[in-house]
PDB file of all heavy atoms in Angstrom:
ATOM      1  N   PRO B  83      20.958  11.131 -14.687  1.00  0.00           N
ATOM      2  CA  PRO B  83      21.987  11.848 -13.899  1.00  0.00           C
ATOM      3  C   PRO B  83      23.084  10.932 -13.369  1.00  0.00           C
ATOM      4  O   PRO B  83      22.800   9.812 -12.872  1.00  0.00           O
ATOM      5  CB  PRO B  83      21.186  12.464 -12.781  1.00  0.00           C
ATOM      6  CG  PRO B  83      19.976  11.603 -12.650  1.00  0.00           C
ATOM      7  CD  PRO B  83      19.694  11.135 -14.059  1.00  0.00           C
ATOM      8  N   ARG B  84      24.257  11.402 -13.333  1.00  0.00           N
ATOM      9  CA  ARG B  84      25.380  10.692 -12.734  1.00  0.00           C
ATOM     10  C   ARG B  84      25.738  11.393 -11.362  1.00  0.00           C
ATOM     11  O   ARG B  84      26.492  10.787 -10.591  1.00  0.00           O
ATOM     12  CB  ARG B  84      26.641  10.685 -13.663  1.00  0.00           C
ATOM     13  CG  ARG B  84      26.374   9.956 -14.959  1.00  0.00           C
ATOM     14  CD  ARG B  84      26.098   8.498 -14.727  1.00  0.00           C
ATOM     15  NE  ARG B  84      25.841   7.738 -15.978  1.00  0.00           N
ATOM     16  CZ  ARG B  84      26.820   7.065 -16.527  1.00  0.00           C
ATOM     17  NH1 ARG B  84      28.115   7.095 -16.094  1.00  0.00           N
ATOM     18  NH2 ARG B  84      26.561   6.352 -17.710  1.00  0.00           N
ATOM     19  N   THR B  85      25.449  12.615 -11.237  1.00  0.00           N
ATOM     20  CA  THR B  85      25.720  13.405  -9.963  1.00  0.00           C
ATOM     21  C   THR B  85      24.516  14.012  -9.356  1.00  0.00           C
ATOM     22  O   THR B  85      23.618  14.429 -10.107  1.00  0.00           O
ATOM     23  CB  THR B  85      26.870  14.416 -10.272  1.00  0.00           C
ATOM     24  OG1 THR B  85      26.283  15.282 -11.340  1.00  0.00           O
ATOM     25  CG2 THR B  85      28.143  13.824 -10.762  1.00  0.00           C
ATOM     26  N   LEU B  86      24.488  14.014  -8.040  1.00  0.00           N
ATOM     27  CA  LEU B  86      23.381  14.563  -7.286  1.00  0.00           C
ATOM     28  C   LEU B  86      23.861  15.479  -6.155  1.00  0.00           C
ATOM     29  O   LEU B  86      24.764  15.161  -5.440  1.00  0.00           O
ATOM     30  CB  LEU B  86      22.572  13.319  -6.662  1.00  0.00           C
ATOM     31  CG  LEU B  86      21.592  13.764  -5.548  1.00  0.00           C
ATOM     32  CD1 LEU B  86      20.432  14.640  -6.062  1.00  0.00           C
ATOM     33  CD2 LEU B  86      21.051  12.446  -4.872  1.00  0.00           C
ATOM     34  N   LEU B  87      23.206  16.607  -6.106  1.00  0.00           N
ATOM     35  CA  LEU B  87      23.399  17.586  -4.977  1.00  0.00           C
ATOM     36  C   LEU B  87      22.158  17.578  -4.157  1.00  0.00           C
ATOM     37  O   LEU B  87      21.059  18.025  -4.705  1.00  0.00           O
ATOM     38  CB  LEU B  87      23.824  18.953  -5.506  1.00  0.00           C
ATOM     39  CG  LEU B  87      23.848  20.026  -4.391  1.00  0.00           C
ATOM     40  CD1 LEU B  87      24.978  19.706  -3.371  1.00  0.00           C
ATOM     41  CD2 LEU B  87      24.099  21.497  -5.036  1.00  0.00           C
ATOM     42  N   ASP B  88      22.188  17.081  -2.950  1.00  0.00           N
ATOM     43  CA  ASP B  88      21.027  16.984  -1.991  1.00  0.00           C
ATOM     44  C   ASP B  88      21.164  18.105  -1.053  1.00  0.00           C
ATOM     45  O   ASP B  88      21.936  18.002  -0.139  1.00  0.00           O
ATOM     46  CB  ASP B  88      21.004  15.602  -1.320  1.00  0.00           C
ATOM     47  CG  ASP B  88      19.735  15.401  -0.545  1.00  0.00           C
ATOM     48  OD1 ASP B  88      19.013  16.411  -0.309  1.00  0.00           O
ATOM     49  OD2 ASP B  88      19.488  14.272  -0.135  1.00  0.00           O
ATOM     50  N   ALA B  89      20.529  19.239  -1.257  1.00  0.00           N
ATOM     51  CA  ALA B  89      20.679  20.534  -0.497  1.00  0.00           C
ATOM     52  C   ALA B  89      19.707  20.483   0.673  1.00  0.00           C
ATOM     53  O   ALA B  89      18.443  20.355   0.348  1.00  0.00           O
ATOM     54  CB  ALA B  89      20.492  21.683  -1.431  1.00  0.00           C
ATOM     55  N   GLY B  90      20.193  20.717   1.857  1.00  0.00           N
ATOM     56  CA  GLY B  90      19.396  20.643   3.037  1.00  0.00           C
ATOM     57  C   GLY B  90      18.924  19.136   3.184  1.00  0.00           C
ATOM     58  O   GLY B  90      17.794  18.776   3.412  1.00  0.00           O
ATOM     59  N   SER B  91      19.919  18.224   3.139  1.00  0.00           N
ATOM     60  CA  SER B  91      19.747  16.803   2.967  1.00  0.00           C
ATOM     61  C   SER B  91      19.043  16.165   4.201  1.00  0.00           C
ATOM     62  O   SER B  91      18.302  15.156   4.012  1.00  0.00           O
ATOM     63  CB  SER B  91      21.026  16.120   2.729  1.00  0.00           C
ATOM     64  OG  SER B  91      21.932  16.378   3.727  1.00  0.00           O
ATOM     65  N   GLY B  92      19.257  16.707   5.390  1.00  0.00           N
ATOM     66  CA  GLY B  92      18.696  16.007   6.580  1.00  0.00           C
ATOM     67  C   GLY B  92      19.192  14.562   6.619  1.00  0.00           C
ATOM     68  O   GLY B  92      20.354  14.363   6.349  1.00  0.00           O
ATOM     69  N   PRO B  93      18.312  13.620   6.920  1.00  0.00           N
ATOM     70  CA  PRO B  93      18.760  12.202   6.920  1.00  0.00           C
ATOM     71  C   PRO B  93      18.810  11.561   5.533  1.00  0.00           C
ATOM     72  O   PRO B  93      18.959  10.317   5.389  1.00  0.00           O
ATOM     73  CB  PRO B  93      17.696  11.479   7.732  1.00  0.00           C
ATOM     74  CG  PRO B  93      16.482  12.389   7.694  1.00  0.00           C
ATOM     75  CD  PRO B  93      16.960  13.797   7.433  1.00  0.00           C
ATOM     76  N   ALA B  94      18.804  12.385   4.489  1.00  0.00           N
ATOM     77  CA  ALA B  94      19.079  12.006   3.103  1.00  0.00           C
ATOM     78  C   ALA B  94      17.973  11.167   2.453  1.00  0.00           C
ATOM     79  O   ALA B  94      18.211  10.383   1.528  1.00  0.00           O
ATOM     80  CB  ALA B  94      20.349  11.235   2.976  1.00  0.00           C
ATOM     81  N   ALA B  95      16.760  11.466   2.814  1.00  0.00           N
ATOM     82  CA  ALA B  95      15.621  10.799   2.140  1.00  0.00           C
ATOM     83  C   ALA B  95      15.574  10.969   0.684  1.00  0.00           C
ATOM     84  O   ALA B  95      15.318  10.100  -0.132  1.00  0.00           O
ATOM     85  CB  ALA B  95      14.311  11.165   2.810  1.00  0.00           C
ATOM     86  N   ALA B  96      15.883  12.294   0.283  1.00  0.00           N
ATOM     87  CA  ALA B  96      15.885  12.551  -1.160  1.00  0.00           C
ATOM     88  C   ALA B  96      16.922  11.799  -1.941  1.00  0.00           C
ATOM     89  O   ALA B  96      16.694  11.404  -3.108  1.00  0.00           O
ATOM     90  CB  ALA B  96      16.035  14.047  -1.377  1.00  0.00           C
ATOM     91  N   SER B  97      18.076  11.534  -1.314  1.00  0.00           N
ATOM     92  CA  SER B  97      19.185  10.873  -2.062  1.00  0.00           C
ATOM     93  C   SER B  97      18.758   9.416  -2.234  1.00  0.00           C
ATOM     94  O   SER B  97      18.982   8.844  -3.290  1.00  0.00           O
ATOM     95  CB  SER B  97      20.436  10.882  -1.195  1.00  0.00           C
ATOM     96  OG  SER B  97      20.962  12.217  -1.117  1.00  0.00           O
ATOM     97  N   TRP B  98      18.119   8.748  -1.211  1.00  0.00           N
ATOM     98  CA  TRP B  98      17.680   7.392  -1.332  1.00  0.00           C
ATOM     99  C   TRP B  98      16.600   7.322  -2.438  1.00  0.00           C
ATOM    100  O   TRP B  98      16.638   6.430  -3.311  1.00  0.00           O
ATOM    101  CB  TRP B  98      17.078   6.847  -0.022  1.00  0.00           C
ATOM    102  CG  TRP B  98      18.063   6.511   0.967  1.00  0.00           C
ATOM    103  CD1 TRP B  98      18.731   7.287   1.857  1.00  0.00           C
ATOM    104  CD2 TRP B  98      18.551   5.192   1.267  1.00  0.00           C
ATOM    105  NE1 TRP B  98      19.547   6.535   2.683  1.00  0.00           N
ATOM    106  CE2 TRP B  98      19.513   5.238   2.276  1.00  0.00           C
ATOM    107  CE3 TRP B  98      18.239   3.900   0.742  1.00  0.00           C
ATOM    108  CZ2 TRP B  98      20.168   4.130   2.852  1.00  0.00           C
ATOM    109  CZ3 TRP B  98      18.951   2.785   1.235  1.00  0.00           C
ATOM    110  CH2 TRP B  98      19.844   2.896   2.219  1.00  0.00           C
ATOM    111  N   ALA B  99      15.698   8.245  -2.527  1.00  0.00           N
ATOM    112  CA  ALA B  99      14.681   8.267  -3.524  1.00  0.00           C
ATOM    113  C   ALA B  99      15.231   8.509  -4.894  1.00  0.00           C
ATOM    114  O   ALA B  99      14.832   7.878  -5.894  1.00  0.00           O
ATOM    115  CB  ALA B  99      13.599   9.334  -3.244  1.00  0.00           C
TER     116      ALA B  99
END
Side-chain angles (χ1 to χ4, degrees):
R84 297 299 182 92
T85 54
L86 164 64
L87 174 62
D88 187 348
S91 56
S97 294
W98 283 84

